[in-house]
Amino acid sequence: MSATSSVTAKSSATYDVVVVGAGFAGMYMLHRLRGQGMTARVFEQGSGVGGTWYWNRYPGARCDVESMQYSYSFSEELQQEWDWSERYAPQPEILKYANHVADRFDLRKDIQFDTRVESAVFDEVTNLWSVTTSDGKTVTAKFVVLATGCLSNARMPDIKGLDQFKGKVYHTGHWPHEAVDFTGQRVAVIGTGSSGIQSVPVIAEQASHLTVFQRTANFSIPARNAPLTDAERKKFRDNYPEIRRFAREVARNGIYTEMPDRGALDDGDNERRAKYEARWQRGGLTFMSVYNNLGLDKAANDTAADFVREKIAEIVKDPRTARALQPNDHPIGSKRICIDTDYFATFNRPNVTLVDIKSNPIEEITENAVRVAGKDYEVDALVLATGFDAMTGSVAKIDMKGRGGQTLNQKWAAGPRTYLGLMSAGFPNLFVITGPGSPSVLSNMIVSIEQHVDWIADCLAYMRERGLDTMEASADAEDKWVDHVNEVAAATLYPQANSWYMGANVPGKPRIFMPYIGGVGPYRKICDEVAAKGYEGFVMGAGGSATQGRGVISRGIVTLLPSW
Ligand code: NA7
């Protein structure tokens, strides 16, 4: 692959690769491509790097994976030198880290900010993609990599009257860059997913009154966030080789932690309770890995769910509010579990009210109030913590045309279809980072991002060495992979929840379990084996002739079930 041109002044520049998005995936992809001597252009809608962490600036926004693990591992110097201040990094610090990485690896010169990719069309004669951007220009590229993120398309709720509200309206996923001060204001938060649960305690401290509108009660575990000491940082740094290896190859979710060797019903009541209590005190996502069958066996899952429901009842003083906050319509963990700082205790404050909108949905938003069951809750500001059109939303906004003029939206009308979450048949030379069909949002995203970027970069090097210029998923391999993804999901409790994993939060979106739940370690092994077998299941070509990678993907991986 020659560096055909890296001219930026012309509107018809040709690159080896166009990367869409400058979040953690796009930045590392650019770094790897440059390292291989390829020309690349990154288009980013925001005015800065960071992706999800650029947009999600709401009060209390933090990562739910510990900072020492939610960080790049590709540079030893970077991971040794960067000082995370807290166990869970707050959003401003993650954004500072993203900017530091951009500076340190001199990434900005190949990133065009404030530019949306509007369309990408594959030319079957030249085997090039034409990529048109919001500044009206078109560039061509041999490859396109979608690094568009999984939680990047904030979803406005379809609530009657929203547009007539006279006060300020904020969406957690699209928060203003200037400081927002709710002091003395009456505030409504609509939505109690992770963003609502993180922002409610912080907003409650400022607002004169906060009303939380809850459609679905959510399970949340205390974060037990705290400043990191030098000794804690050193412990990670000294052991990074093993911690990173474990997260990549062994862990189900890309997080270094103990692997449970028994199920919840293998222990007696007292022992089980003691284990849950210990994890509750420790705090964080690893609550779900006390046992190896909480995601698989409803009776086992109920023991963990009951424990958390009891905790909520202990914390929340008003029994009616406590009951309303206890989730009872989905297994614990089947919606992404939240971690919080004082969320449930916030409902003991005199200035906080919970309104259950499950039984009585919001009727209307008026000029100054949210109306439920005929009652007006007057507010000065609305915070919509209503989530994202996850995993496919940002891809769907780009008009992608592959072979025969078929659009990706047409192909994915009944749900996303990919081979390994990396490519979709009929769309040659188009890669997706952490796409549907890969572990993605079920994992520590940075572990999954690095794996995909490395796989794609190695694949491009392989093609260059052999003079190959096209690659795409075969329809057969894709069908088998989609079946496998569904088969593995169906063996778990996950599809029982109306979650964004299922697309269930977006009216009209097909109900498909989108991420691959077979585990980060087993998934990596599959991807590596596919590459080792000459990119088995992919069709590669040079100058119009095509060859198919050997054989078809192996089946029976369903035995590699997750143990969260
Ligand atoms: P989530 O987890 O999708 O949460 C969105 C919340 O908003 C959830 O409680 C929804 O209730 C609620 N919602 C959505 N639409 C409406 C309408 N129309 N009316 C009332 N309530 C509504 O998004 P987050 O931003 O909190 O978190 C996303 C991920 O980011 C999270 O999992 C972490 O991985 C980080 P529902 O549950 O659909 O009944």
Side-chain angles (χ1 to χ4, degrees):
M1 208 164 302
S2 63
T4 43
S5 164
S6 60
V7 179
T8 52
K10 285 197 297 177
S11 61
S12 58
T14 298
Y15 301 97
D16 290 327
V17 186
V18 158
V19 179
V20 189
F24 281 87
M27 287 199 295
Y28 181 43
M29 190 75 244
L30 174 60
H31 178 66
R32 279 295 317 262
L33 292 169
R34 273 209 203 141
Q36 296 186 171
M38 294 178 185
T39 55
R41 190 75 173 155
V42 181
F43 293 108
E44 165 57 52
Q45 180 178 359
S47 305
V49 296
T52 288
W53 300 106
Y54 175 86
W55 300 105
N56 282 262
R57 297 164 180 252
Y58 59 84
R62 267 173 209 288
C63 189
D64 56 7
V65 175
E66 295 187 21
S67 50
M68 293 302 289
Q69 300 206 53
Y70 189 83
S71 49
Y72 285 122
S73 69
F74 70 84
S75 161
E76 180 60 14
E77 295 76 25
L78 177 66
Q79 69 179 6
Q80 290 298 330
E81 286 168 18
W82 180 263
D83 272 339
W84 292 106
S85 66
E86 296 176 58
R87 179 177 175 189
Y88 297 96
Q91 174 270 338
E93 191 169 332
I94 303 175
L95 194 57
K96 201 169 151 206
Y97 173 74
N99 278 287
H100 169 75
V101 171
D103 292 338
R104 188 183 180 115
F105 297 98
D106 193 20
L107 299 178
R108 287 177 216 281
K109 66 179 184 219
D110 289 323
I111 305 174
Q112 185 174 322
F113 294 103
D114 300 304
T115 310
R116 274 189 55 74
V117 169
E118 307 278 6
S119 71
V121 180
F122 185 71
D123 183 327
E124 294 186 63
V125 177
T126 60
N127 286 333
L128 292 174
W129 282 94
S130 286
V131 178
T132 303
T133 45
S134 52
D135 55 1
K137 295 186 176 160
T138 298
V139 299
T140 51
K142 295 173 183 170
F143 297 90
V144 173
V145 177
L146 298 178
T148 39
C150 298
L151 296 167
S152 47
N153 192 21
R155 204 179 65 81
M156 292 299 279
D158 187 13
I159 302 176
K160 187 177 159 201
L162 183 55
D163 53 351
Q164 63 190 12
F165 183 70
K166 290 273 194 304
K168 288 262 193 202
V169 179
Y170 304 94
H171 193 294
T172 47
H174 211 110
W175 201 261
H177 285 224
E178 57 278 9
V180 176
D181 184 3
F182 291 115
T183 304
Q185 294 191 28
R186 296 164 302 172
V187 181
V189 171
I190 300 177
T192 51
S194 184
S195 304
I197 283 176
Q198 288 187 335
S199 60
V200 157
V202 184
I203 296 174
E205 285 186 4
Q206 290 179 357
S208 62
H209 197 92
L210 170 63
T211 311
V212 180
F213 294 87
Q214 172 189 272
R215 189 163 70 181
T216 305
N218 236 319
F219 290 100
S220 188
I221 308 296
R224 313 270 180 223
N225 188 36
L228 277 175
T229 62
D230 284 342
E232 284 165 332
R233 279 192 289 261
K234 184 171 182 326
K235 204 167 144 196
F236 267 97
R237 285 178 177 149
D238 289 352
N239 294 293
Y240 258 142
E242 173 54 16
I243 288 170
R244 302 298 201 186
R245 185 199 67 79
F246 186 97
R248 290 183 196 121
E249 295 173 15
V250 184
R252 297 282 175 198
N253 56 8
I255 297 174
Y256 181 78
T257 187
E258 305 97 321
M259 296 289 276
D261 59 357
R262 55 201 282 117
L265 306 178
D266 296 335
D267 283 336
D269 286 354
N270 291 343
E271 200 176 342
R272 191 167 52 234
R273 218 194 138 69
K275 286 185 182 170
Y276 287 143
E277 182 64 35
R279 289 294 172 109
W280 180 269
Q281 293 309 329
R282 183 203 286 184
L285 290 178
T286 59
F287 181 83
M288 289 305 291
S289 50
V290 180
Y291 292 112
N292 64 13
N293 61 348
L294 296 183
L296 302 172
D297 178 334
K298 181 67 168 55
N301 185 284
D302 284 344
T303 64
D306 285 344
F307 177 87
V308 175
R309 282 190 282 261
E310 282 168 30
K311 284 290 184 191
I312 296 169
E314 277 170 27
I315 297 167
V316 180
K317 294 195 180 114
D318 172 45
R320 246 181 100 227
T321 307
R323 261 196 311 282
L325 286 166
Q326 288 172 326
N328 54 26
D329 65 353
H330 61 279
I332 184 169
S334 59
K335 284 187 161 202
R336 183 157 173 133
I337 201 158
C338 301
I339 65 168
D340 70 274
T341 299
D342 296 334
Y343 174 66
F344 294 115
T346 297
F347 291 91
N348 294 331
R349 294 176 64 111
N351 70 331
V352 177
T353 308
L354 180 72
V355 177
D356 174 10
I357 53 170
K358 185 85 157 186
S359 34
N360 291 302
I362 295 172
E363 283 166 29
E364 188 177 0
I365 292 178
T366 68
E367 281 187 5
N368 63 348
V370 180
R371 186 172 296 156
V372 177
K375 179 173 174 183
D376 278 5
Y377 295 86
E378 289 191 10
V379 289
D380 305 305
L382 275 181
V383 173
L384 305 172
T386 46
F388 303 86
D389 183 353
M391 300 202 76
T392 54
S394 289
V395 176
K397 279 163 96 175
I398 306 170
D399 188 16
M400 310 276 325
K401 282 201 181 80
R403 288 201 190 281
Q406 186 190 32
T407 69
L408 198 59
N409 286 333
Q410 285 165 342
K411 183 176 171 192
W412 287 7
R417 298 184 68 78
T418 68
Y419 176 37
L420 298 175
L422 281 159
M423 291 192 115
S424 193
F427 293 81
N429 296 357
L430 173 71
F431 294 95
V432 190
I433 298 180
T434 63
S438 74
S440 168
V441 290
L442 296 175
S443 69
N444 176 350
M445 283 303 287
I446 300 204
V447 172
S448 289
I449 282 170
E450 287 190 331
Q451 185 233 339
H452 268 187
V453 168
D454 288 337
W455 193 94
I456 293 167
D458 292 349
C459 174
L460 295 184
Y462 173 97
M463 291 177 72
R464 177 170 60 183
E465 279 160 23
R466 288 160 183 78
L468 299 164
D469 55 18
T470 58
M471 169 173 185
E472 64 187 293
S474 81
D476 183 46
E478 179 172 291
D479 288 348
K480 290 193 170 79
W481 183 252
V482 169
D483 286 352
H484 173 61
V485 170
N486 290 332
E487 198 180 359
V488 179
T492 74
L493 301 175
Y494 273 79
Q496 293 186 19
N498 289 321
S499 65
W500 56 259
Y501 296 139
M502 296 288 294
N505 63 328
V506 179
K509 192 166 175 174
R511 218 187 136 89
I512 303 276
F513 191 79
M514 293 184 282
Y516 176 56
I517 203 169
V520 163
Y523 170 78
R524 175 184 295 264
K525 205 161 163 255
I526 295 166
C527 291
D528 288 350
E529 281 170 10
V530 164
K533 289 177 186 165
Y535 294 91
E536 184 179 55
F538 291 97
V539 182
M540 289 178 164
S545 69
T547 57
Q548 182 147 2
R550 278 171 284 144
V552 290
I553 58 166
S554 62
R555 303 299 302 273
I557 316 161
V558 75
T559 50
L560 300 169
L561 285 172
S563 61
W564 49 269

